[in-house]
Amino acid sequence: MLYHAKNGSVVLGKTEMEYVSFGTGEKTLVMLPGLGDGLKTARGLAVPFALMFRQYAGDYRVYALSWKNALAEGCSTRDMARDTREAMDLLGIERADVIGISQGGMIAQYLAIDSPQAVGKLVLAVTLARQNPLIEEAVGSWLRMAEADDYKSLFIDTAERSYSQAYLKKYRALYPILTRVGKPKSFERFIIQAHACLGHDAYGELDRITCPTFVVGADCDKVVGPDASRELARSIAGSRLWMYAGLGHGAYEEAKDFNSRVLEFLREM
């Protein structure tokens, strides 16, 4: 298969965690997704993931992990980091470089704090260490839409908050199609993840992150805000910060140089 991509899952307790893997490199890279994983897991997406992140395939064997299929009500981002570490153990991953995007970046913080031996280098993209009014309003709105079973509004609002106007102009015409085909059978998992997102606060423990860290933010981020990335970079000793101008929360998808910039950091000795 393309880039040796495959779909898989590991058993955690009474449920499973889906993942995709690809690449032929000697090193290991773990990628942790954002809140959108609550609507659709990585199941069956090996080839699309491999294509989107193919620049890592020569250096790494990449594992893009979902969260557990059945999440316990009230679980926290720290609990999800423990699940991630357990999944890594089951996959035979003792140590990996880690990229956490949005909520995945929140979980990655706790992975680096609680299991420092498991994290080589850390990339925290469009994420935050603690709550602010912007994320409370954004995720709070998404929660209300999910609880009302309103996938159309949830999809459109997420897109409008995440991407630049230039990007949105290309895709708004597809909203009627995209809002019909992607609706999950249940919003239960998304709602649990959203509450975990709103409860995240690792700010007081960021000094425990000692691995090389690259923080990537965007100055038009309407979900976590640009100051969240700056705060992370100030609070993690020796970390590096890159801010995308004119982009928002979807900068990791929209910026053509995101993967090459991250890979340059990961390749540094």
Side-chain angles (χ1 to χ4, degrees):
M1 191 175 285
L2 187 68
Y3 300 109
H4 296 268
K6 74 171 188 176
N7 301 285
S9 65
V10 291
V11 177
L12 274 69
K14 296 181 180 180
T15 187
E16 293 182 334
M17 178 185 284
E18 310 285 346
Y19 71 88
V20 302
S21 62
F22 62 91
T24 58
E26 295 182 0
K27 298 182 291 183
T28 304
L29 178 66
V30 169
M31 304 185 75
L32 303 179
L35 182 56
D37 185 78
L39 300 172
K40 181 176 176 56
T41 71
R43 186 175 185 177
L45 297 179
V47 171
F49 265 95
L51 283 171
M52 183 174 180
F53 298 107
R54 60 188 176 275
Q55 286 176 264
Y56 304 100
D59 292 52
Y60 288 97
R61 184 64 181 171
V62 182
Y63 292 84
L65 305 180
S66 281
W67 313 121
K68 291 194 300 189
N69 290 343
L71 288 166
E73 189 170 347
C75 79
S76 66
T77 50
R78 188 164 231 152
D79 294 330
M80 295 164 80
R82 294 189 185 104
D83 292 339
T84 300
R85 178 59 197 276
E86 184 179 352
M88 289 171 65
D89 288 342
L90 291 170
L91 291 167
I93 303 171
E94 295 182 5
R95 185 176 176 87
D97 294 337
V98 177
I99 300 175
I101 296 171
S102 192
Q103 187 177 25
M106 302 175 199
I107 285 111
Q109 292 164 40
Y110 277 127
L111 184 65
I113 290 167
D114 294 338
S115 303
Q117 70 280 6
V119 181
K121 288 188 173 184
L122 179 64
V123 179
L124 301 174
V126 291
T127 189
L128 47 60
R130 57 180 172 177
Q131 299 307 295
N132 61 45
L134 202 57
I135 193 171
E136 289 171 354
E137 195 280 324
V139 177
S141 294
W142 298 340
L143 264 173
R144 290 190 291 275
M145 294 170 191
E147 289 166 347
D149 197 36
D150 187 357
Y151 178 71
K152 180 178 180 179
S153 296
L154 175 58
F155 180 94
I156 293 174
D157 191 69
T158 300
E160 293 291 326
R161 290 178 191 266
S162 298
Y163 301 106
S164 69
Q165 289 302 307
Y167 188 89
L168 287 169
K169 285 179 182 178
K170 301 176 185 178
Y171 294 99
R172 283 187 177 122
L174 298 175
Y175 283 175
I177 298 172
L178 296 173
T179 54
R180 286 199 304 267
V181 301
K183 185 177 180 179
K185 294 179 180 179
S186 168
F187 286 100
E188 180 180 359
R189 193 165 165 273
F190 177 87
I191 290 169
I192 291 171
Q193 285 185 219
H195 281 295
C197 187
L198 288 174
H200 178 73
D201 186 356
Y203 178 74
E205 298 180 75
L206 293 179
D207 59 348
R208 294 174 57 192
I209 298 179
T210 57
C211 59
T213 303
F214 185 29
V215 179
V216 182
D219 69 358
C220 295
D221 193 322
K222 298 177 183 177
V223 178
V224 302
D227 288 341
S229 297
R230 298 185 183 109
E231 180 178 71
L232 272 171
R234 286 195 305 268
S235 303
I236 300 174
S239 66
R240 187 179 311 175
L241 174 66
W242 176 262
M243 296 293 294
Y244 279 105
L247 296 182
H249 197 66
Y252 65 97
E253 292 183 72
E254 197 171 344
K256 294 180 180 179
D257 67 342
F258 175 81
N259 290 321
S260 59
R261 193 175 292 278
V262 169
L263 189 56
E264 180 181 0
F265 165 75
L266 294 175
R267 283 174 171 169
E268 292 176 0
M269 298 298 292

